[in-house]
Each structure stands twice: as structure tokens, then as C-alpha cells.
Amino acid sequence: PGAFRDYTTSKKVKDLVRELGWLDPQIPQSMYIFKQAKVGGEVTSHQDSTFLFTEPRQTCLGLWLALDDSTLENGCLWVRPGSHNEPVRRKFVRNPAHFGVEAIKSRSNKALGDTSQPQMVFEQLVEDADTVPWEGKLPEGSFPRCEGLFNNDFVPVECKSGDLLAFCGEIDHLSLPNCSDNQRHTFQLHLVDGPGAGILWSQSNWLQYPEDEEFLRI
């Protein structure tokens, strides 16, 4: 209960998600992002579906709610138009060496493997030729003057407090540090379609609920 759940389960959000074509929307993740004045850090280039992978197709939808005006100075979102047509380049998974194959198959969070191994690893999904050199980083020359972003076809998305940005999980996006005197806070929802739409949450995803629990449906 509370303001964030009220927003998440509101008629406006439900109507929007269905208008966008989601049939059985579920919410595996919500995030409140603090990008404080002067010290708020960068978020490197990524695709949300790397961390929220569904099968047999990708259905991640990000709803990015600006709680403050978002500007070039305080670290607004940058996106690369057209990248929504690109494949997901890598997947953040539970490491079989740490958890064991059987634990991953059963979606158990109990480690049955070698616990000295990393819990999570990135699994490469495309050939090197199909990836981008700034994966998990910022394009060279991105900060502080942004030339590297413009040179690699990124565009800034400045918006006002209360604006909502919606984008699919394949789109390449990032944000730069907040070097201004103004905070830039956001509340973000990540949704996926569920079994009612013929979609499954990947059993190797890093995030797994216990078997008797489900993601919040809206």
C-alpha cells in the first residue's frame, strides 16, 4: 500500500499498457532512481531486456516517470533511435556454476553449485559483429561535451516533471552524471507480458521469485 503502488495499479497505467498492446502485463521490477545534484552518477548504455528476458519473444516495457524536470544539465535520458529494431545483445543470468543446473531449472534461489563462483554473469547472445563497442559503457567522448553520443546517433530526451516516457526493452539508452545544482529523481516500472499472452519469464533470469509467488499483475 502507498503512493507508488497506487500509481502502479492505477487505471491510467493499466489503460496505457493495454493500449500499447500488452495482454497479460506483470511487473517484475520497480525502481526509484536518485540522481542527486552534483553527485548523481551515470547509467551506462544498456537494453532493459538484458535484465528482463522473456520467451519466445521480448516483451519488456519501461515506464519512466519524471519526478523532476529532466535536462541535459541534470542527467536526462539519452536514447538511440532505431535501436529498438536490434536484437538483445546479452542476457544477465544466474550462473549455473554457482547455483547448479537443477536450481536454475526449478527457479530455486538456493545455491547448489560452487558458491565461490559469481552468482550472476552476462551471457552473450549475438556475434561480436552485431554488438556495439559501448555495451555496458558510455560511447567514447560522451562526457562532458556529449560529442560521442551525438556521433553515435544518441539523442537527449529532456522532459518535465510528471512526464512519462514509454519504451521497449530493446532500445539502447543511458544517462550522464548530474553536474547541476538540481536533483533528477524518477520512478520506473518494468513490465513484461505473462502466460496469458503466451509469454514466459526466462528460467535463467537473474531475478526469480519463489515458486509460490507471482509478479504483480495489473
Side-chain angles (χ1 to χ4, degrees):
F4 294 117
R5 188 181 181 92
D6 289 347
Y7 161 75
T8 300
T9 58
S10 67
K11 185 177 184 299
K12 284 186 176 181
V13 169
K14 291 178 180 179
D15 289 348
L16 171 64
V17 171
R18 282 169 173 77
E19 185 177 343
L20 292 173
W22 272 250
L23 302 176
D24 184 21
Q26 305 179 16
I27 302 177
Q29 185 182 60
S30 63
M31 302 187 296
Y32 189 106
I33 302 297
F34 298 85
K35 196 181 278 281
Q36 303 287 55
K38 300 293 187 182
V39 298
E42 68 190 37
V43 175
T44 57
S45 163
H46 66 283
Q47 298 169 294
D48 288 340
S49 286
T50 292
F51 305 96
L52 302 137
F53 200 90
T54 57
E55 300 166 342
R57 59 182 175 85
Q58 299 312 309
T59 63
C60 179
L61 171 67
L63 298 181
W64 197 96
L65 178 65
L67 301 179
D68 300 295
D69 289 353
S70 182
T71 67
L72 283 169
E73 291 73 25
N74 70 3
C76 70
L77 196 70
W78 288 72
V79 303
R80 185 161 56 85
S83 60
H84 65 288
N85 292 315
E86 297 173 0
V88 179
R89 293 182 286 277
R90 57 182 185 164
K91 180 182 179 184
F92 193 53
V93 300
R94 298 192 299 162
N95 185 3
H98 178 96
F99 285 96
V101 174
E102 290 306 314
I104 291 177
K105 285 183 177 178
S106 65
R107 302 180 188 269
S108 170
N109 287 311
K110 182 178 180 180
L112 301 177
D114 181 356
T115 55
S116 69
Q117 297 297 312
Q119 292 187 41
M120 313 298 175
V121 293
F122 284 102
E123 176 186 339
Q124 192 73 18
L125 301 180
V126 298
E127 300 294 332
D128 288 343
D130 294 322
T131 191
V132 294
W134 56 79
E135 182 75 38
K137 301 179 288 186
L138 295 178
E140 185 176 354
S142 295
F143 186 77
R145 299 180 63 85
C146 304
E147 287 99 333
L149 294 175
F150 289 117
N151 290 343
N152 287 288
D153 301 321
F154 282 88
V155 296
V157 186
E158 295 185 286
C159 57
K160 294 293 185 181
S161 176
D163 286 349
L164 181 69
L165 309 179
F167 50 92
C168 68
E170 291 92 336
I171 199 164
D172 191 358
H173 62 290
L174 56 85
S175 66
L176 297 180
N178 182 357
C179 297
S180 77
D181 294 323
N182 301 309
Q183 67 181 30
R184 195 231 68 186
H185 290 192
T186 65
F187 181 61
Q188 302 175 24
L189 296 177
H190 287 131
L191 301 94
V192 296
D193 239 338
I199 300 298
L200 297 177
W201 181 252
S202 176
Q203 67 179 11
S204 63
N205 278 341
W206 69 280
L207 175 64
Q208 298 292 336
Y209 277 19
E211 284 189 290
D212 59 345
E213 295 185 24
E214 295 183 343
F215 296 142
L216 175 67
R217 279 186 164 87
I218 61 169

